[in-house]
Amino acid sequence: MRITILTLFPTMFEGFLHTSIIKRIIDKGLVEIRIVDIRDYSLDKHRHVDDTPYGGGAGMLMKVDVLHRALAANSKENSRILLTSPKAKPFKQSDARRLSKFSDIVIVCGHYEGIDYRFEKYVDEKVSIGDYVLTGGELASMVISDAIVRLLDDGISKQSLEIESFDNNLLECPQYTRPYDFYGDKVPAVLLSGNHRDIKHYNDKMALRETLKYRPDLLENHQFTKEEIALLEEIRNEFEG
Ligand code: ADE
């Protein structure tokens, strides 16, 4: 896979590209991430990339001609072109999975004050990372790329991807490691029992409990199995007790 990020702030990506799991995935050759400075596609001698809005208003807008030149020089026929923007549907795990199937992705980082609207017709999808406004699309582009590349085959262990929060609209169950006893707070006994059926039952129940507690909205789209309906009943009885 190749991901090209068009940005006004290339230095923001240094830590992202050279640290931890993303670095490992790049070093393995599973993805190439290219950072392109949009300013290199400005034709005026001061390298301007923005201008005042027609009709008045505060702030500056990124220029359509500069953006279009940067995109044309850095995309291919089969590129999936994304534009970061708070004015879009929030990015979800299902979007990360869908986008991980493309071989070439271009992410254009928007500017907080906005871009010329005419650029949007050159974009396949606008992506927001949440209902809040950032100073620019750079952090959003890192979030989107991170969520996509960790899903690539051999990116991280298959087992880590098997049961993940948001797959199947459930949050992951709580997990524990040593020490067994932390100031009297002990790891639940069932996890040390070695009984895989009991452990699965406990973890499934805890996943449901976490989801009920923190993200009950996810359950509206969840297909409940018979076992989960029984677990819900158990949880309800515990609360009532
Ligand atoms: N740019 C500014 N805010 C953003 C957001 N929430 N998501 C994506 N891009 C943005």
Side-chain angles (χ1 to χ4, degrees):
M1 171 182 274
R2 186 177 81 162
I3 299 180
T4 306
I5 298 176
L6 306 187
T7 173
L8 290 174
F9 304 103
T11 55
M12 280 184 75
F13 293 85
E14 281 163 14
F16 173 63
L17 295 180
H18 300 117
T19 315
S20 186
I21 295 174
I22 296 300
K23 173 175 166 35
R24 218 167 60 213
I25 295 175
I26 292 170
D27 289 347
K28 272 190 184 175
L30 299 175
V31 67
E32 179 196 357
I33 302 185
R34 300 188 308 151
I35 308 298
V36 173
D37 191 342
I38 295 171
R39 222 170 270 283
D40 290 345
Y41 295 88
S42 168
L43 295 184
D44 74 70
K45 72 170 192 272
H46 300 293
R47 309 222 305 154
H48 284 134
V49 289
D50 50 10
D51 209 336
T52 51
Y54 277 110
M60 304 282 271
L61 301 180
M62 284 170 87
K63 288 159 62 66
V64 62
D65 55 330
V66 178
L67 284 171
H68 184 260
R69 223 174 285 119
L71 181 61
N74 290 287
S75 57
K76 303 191 280 193
E77 187 83 4
N78 66 343
S79 300
R80 187 72 179 170
I81 297 160
L82 315 182
L83 171 66
T84 60
S85 167
K87 295 188 279 181
K89 275 217 318 235
F91 184 71
K92 291 204 154 86
Q93 185 65 18
S94 53
D95 295 307
R97 283 206 186 280
R98 178 175 57 76
L99 291 166
S100 71
K101 307 287 186 283
F102 287 92
S103 60
D104 195 88
I105 294 176
V106 179
I107 307 178
V108 184
C109 299
H111 192 268
Y112 72 106
E113 282 169 342
I115 66 167
D116 187 314
Y117 184 66
R118 290 170 291 181
F119 182 66
E120 291 195 9
K121 64 165 79 74
Y122 302 103
V123 163
D124 295 310
E125 43 190 301
K126 289 202 292 178
V127 187
S128 163
I129 59 160
D131 292 338
Y132 39 80
V133 182
L134 303 165
T135 53
E138 282 69 22
L139 289 171
S141 74
M142 288 184 235
V143 168
I144 294 162
S145 316
D146 186 294
I148 292 172
V149 302
R150 67 187 286 286
L151 296 175
L152 296 177
D153 280 345
D154 303 323
I156 56 177
S157 84
K158 281 244 158 50
Q159 212 185 355
S160 309
L161 293 175
E162 249 163 37
I163 318 166
E164 285 208 303
S165 288
F166 306 112
D167 278 341
N168 202 16
N169 295 305
L170 285 178
L171 299 184
E172 238 179 299
C173 63
Q175 290 178 297
Y176 306 84
T177 186
R178 275 177 275 271
Y180 163 70
D181 185 337
F182 183 64
Y183 297 118
D185 193 358
K186 299 192 180 73
V187 175
V190 61
L191 300 179
L192 288 85
S193 69
N195 183 325
H196 294 296
R197 243 188 57 195
D198 288 356
I199 293 173
K200 181 172 183 323
H201 179 268
Y202 179 79
N203 282 340
D204 288 350
K205 184 165 151 187
M206 289 302 134
L208 260 177
R209 265 178 78 148
E210 292 287 290
T211 315
L212 275 167
K213 190 166 167 190
Y214 296 108
R215 291 295 305 273
D217 55 301
L218 291 176
L219 296 174
E220 285 165 27
N221 299 314
H222 181 66
Q223 299 288 323
F224 284 94
T225 62
K226 266 205 205 127
E227 290 75 20
E228 284 168 345
I229 292 168
L231 287 175
L232 271 181
E233 192 62 18
E234 266 183 47
I235 294 169
R236 212 178 61 183
N237 290 339
E238 281 170 18
F239 271 110
E240 283 173 1

